[in-house]
Amino acid sequence: MIRVRKAGERGHFDHGWLDTYHTFSFGDYYDPAHLGFRSLRVINDDRVQPGQGFGMHGHRDMEIVTYVLDGALEHKDSMGNGSIIRAGELQRMTAGTGVRHSEFNPSDKEAVHLYQIWLLPERKGLKPSYQELALDEAQKRGRFRLVASPDGSDGSLTIHQDARLYLASLSPGEGVAHEIDRARSAWLQVLRGRVNVLGHDLAAGDGVAVTDDDAISIQATVPSEVLLFDLA
C-alpha cells in the first residue's frame, strides 16, 4: 500500500528568518492524521536566512539527523562539539538524557537549506552523543547510499533505532530500487527534482509511505535527490 504526502499539504510557517515545512505534527502545527510514521517522528524542511538561526535549546530522548542540502549550518552543543556542516554533509545527535544545542547560518549572503529528522530512540535515557558524515556526489550517484543505521555499517552514522536511512542522486531517466522486508515499512522523501514512485509522480517536498510491499522503485524525470527510510 502506498500513501502520498504532497508538499503543499505539509504544515508551513514563514517567520521571515525561517521558512519551514513540517511533514508531521510539530510545534504549533498539529494534524492528528500526521503524527509520524513508525519510529519516524519529524521531517522538517527548513530554509534559514543569512546570519539567523536557532538559539541554544534543549532536547531529550530523540535521535536527531540533520542533512544540509545547500549552504552551511554552524552547530554548537553542551557536549562541547562545534563545527560547520556544509552542503552534502550530515550530523547525528543522540539527545538521550538531555542536551542543549544551537544551529546558526554563519553566512552573511547565502541562505541554508536543510532537512532535520527526528526518530524515536530504541529506549529512553541514552548517553548523549554526536557524529558527522561527509559524502561526495559519487557515493550516492545512481544508488542508495546508506547514511544512518543501528550498527554504523558502511561508514554510516550510528542511530539508536532499528531504522536505516539512504540517500540517492539520480539523473533524468535513471532509476533505483530497494527491497523491503514484509515486516517493515518505508518512507521516501523527495529532496530535489521530480521522480516517479510506483506510478505516482512526485516533486521536491513530497513524501510517500510504503507498507505491505516488498520493494520500492524510483525513477527520476529530472536531476533528483531522494531520502529513503527503511523502518521496523
Side-chain angles (χ1 to χ4, degrees):
M1 183 175 71
I2 185 167
R3 179 168 55 89
V4 174
R5 175 71 157 150
K6 300 296 287 185
E9 298 171 352
R10 299 176 296 176
H12 178 229
F13 297 92
D14 188 346
H15 302 288
W17 67 274
L18 169 67
D19 190 15
T20 181
Y21 288 86
H22 307 320
T23 295
F24 304 118
S25 296
F26 181 85
D28 291 333
Y29 170 64
Y30 177 72
D31 181 348
H34 297 94
L35 299 176
F37 181 70
R38 297 280 181 131
S39 59
L40 184 55
R41 179 64 188 82
V42 167
I43 302 178
N44 286 352
D45 179 1
D46 293 343
R47 287 172 173 82
V48 182
Q49 292 303 306
Q52 301 292 324
F54 304 90
M56 194 66 72
H57 58 285
H59 295 286
R60 293 181 64 90
D61 294 320
M62 198 67 67
E63 298 292 292
I64 301 173
V65 177
T66 302
Y67 178 45
V68 176
L69 279 76
D70 299 295
L73 186 72
E74 184 175 4
H75 169 91
K76 293 181 181 179
D77 65 43
S78 55
M79 294 178 282
N81 300 298
S83 61
I84 294 179
I85 312 301
R86 305 187 186 279
E89 299 179 352
L90 303 99
Q91 66 174 17
R92 183 271 303 165
M93 189 172 68
T94 294
T97 54
V99 66
R100 293 178 61 79
H101 75 139
S102 65
E103 298 159 305
F104 183 77
N105 181 355
S107 173
D108 59 2
K109 297 178 181 178
E110 183 183 18
V112 57
H113 182 198
L114 63 107
Y115 266 79
Q116 187 166 101
I117 295 133
W118 294 7
L119 296 112
L120 298 170
E122 62 190 7
R123 66 183 186 277
K124 293 183 177 181
L126 293 168
K127 180 181 178 181
S129 59
Y130 178 83
Q131 192 178 12
E132 295 177 6
L133 174 65
L135 297 178
D136 59 46
E137 187 68 18
Q139 292 177 282
K140 55 184 177 175
R141 170 59 57 193
R143 60 185 285 260
F144 276 124
R145 179 14 167 124
L146 183 68
V147 296
S149 65
D151 56 4
S153 57
D154 297 330
S156 62
L157 300 170
T158 301
I159 53 174
H160 301 87
Q161 177 53 261
D162 187 0
R164 288 166 177 81
L165 282 61
Y166 301 83
L167 282 170
S169 292
L170 303 171
S171 301
E174 191 171 28
V176 67
H178 177 78
E179 293 185 2
I180 308 168
D181 187 287
R182 280 284 181 165
R184 302 174 69 87
S185 296
W187 181 281
L188 184 89
Q189 189 71 27
V190 183
L191 305 180
R192 314 180 201 259
R194 298 186 66 88
V195 300
N196 185 277
V197 179
L198 302 174
H200 295 264
D201 291 323
L202 303 177
D206 292 346
V208 61
V210 181
T211 55
D212 300 320
D213 260 306
D214 54 13
I216 181 172
S217 59
I218 301 98
Q219 186 169 34
T221 55
V222 299
S224 302
E225 185 173 10
V226 297
L227 173 61
L228 177 69
F229 301 82
D230 186 321
L231 304 162

